Amino acid sequence: MDLSFHIQGGDFTSAGTASSQVRRTLKELGVDAAVIKRVVVALYEAEVNIVAHAYKGIITAEISPERVFLQLVDEGPGITDIEKAMTPGFSTASQEVREMGFGAGMGLPNICRNADVFNIHSVPGKGTTVEITIQIK
Amino acid sequence: MTIHEIVSLVQGKILCGNVGEKDFVDYCFASDLMSDVLTVRRSDFLLMTGLSNIQSIRTAEMSDLKYVMLVRGKTPPQPMIELAEENGIVLISCPFSMFKASGILYQAGLKGVF
């Protein structure tokens, strides 16, 4: 099953709706609750990152009986130093993002921790692509 | 500790959700930082927060939490209450600061998640 969502940068009211839809789908499919939590926590953090940092983005979720593959492609400023961005506590988030409860510098480390496979590729000035694979079985 | 006991101890009120006599939690995590909440693997805890916006409910939803307590007497916006109702999340309001509410509940036996 494939799901796809368009994400608008700066739209904090809608942030999390894609993750919510993926969560509902996985629940309907009877996926183990601990696996669902890992998928949606990683996805929600990545979705919030698009809203917080990018202009817009597309999320696709490929769900098979064996695994969940999530791809998040955004158009935005990109990340100049990925290693630094992966450091727990490091953040470039705006005050607005912090007021929404994010920007603590835990997003990327948290995604990485929940994923079985995590890939991030960024071109400064163009955008960032994040890929997350989580095994169901 | 039952949810009714918790609400009574912090002089709180239930804003939405159904709470039965058997509803209880043994653990609590208090934070205004949602990414910190999202690092907690377990799901059987009360989220105590001063973050009165829709993202605290989204975080509870993704974390598979059932109980959220707003401290410092915050009045949540209507969309926040509606999202909590939609997800079967019990939303509690408490007039105390996070420090005071945490102290009262810890003294009464509620445990930290780590």
Side-chain angles (χ1 to χ4, degrees), chain A residues 12 20 23 37 44-45 101, chain B residues 34-35 40 42 55 61 63:
Chain A
F12 284 100
S20 184
R23 178 175 180 263
K37 182 162 176 171
Y44 180 47
E45 288 278 19
Chain B
M34 295 302 104
S35 281
V40 182
R42 62 190 317 149
Q55 295 309 327
E61 180 193 357
S63 299

Side-chain angles (χ1 to χ4, degrees), chain A residues 12 15-17 19-20 23 37 40-41 44-45 99-102 104 106 110 113-114, chain B residues 32-36 38-43 51 53 55 58-59 61-64 87:
Chain A
F12 284 100
T17 49
S19 306
S20 184
R23 178 175 180 263
K37 182 162 176 171
V40 298
V41 164
Y44 180 47
E45 288 278 19
E99 281 167 11
M100 296 304 291
F102 290 90
M106 292 307 292
N110 208 8
R113 194 168 150 259
N114 281 287
Chain B
D32 287 351
L33 292 172
M34 295 302 104
S35 281
D36 280 352
L38 292 164
T39 62
V40 182
R41 280 274 161 92
R42 62 190 317 149
S43 296
L51 189 73
N53 67 39
Q55 295 309 327
R58 282 279 180 226
T59 299
E61 180 193 357
M62 303 313 157
S63 299
D64 215 10
N87 284 284

Side-chain angles (χ1 to χ4, degrees), chain B residues 101-112:
Chain B
S102 297
I104 290 169
L105 295 177
Y106 186 78
Q107 198 171 33
L110 208 58
K111 292 177 272 195

Side-chain angles (χ1 to χ4, degrees), chain A residues 4 24 36 41 46 63 70 85 91 99 105 110:
Chain A
S4 179
R24 208 167 302 142
I36 296 179
V41 164
I63 302 166
L70 307 165
S91 176
E99 281 167 11
N110 208 8

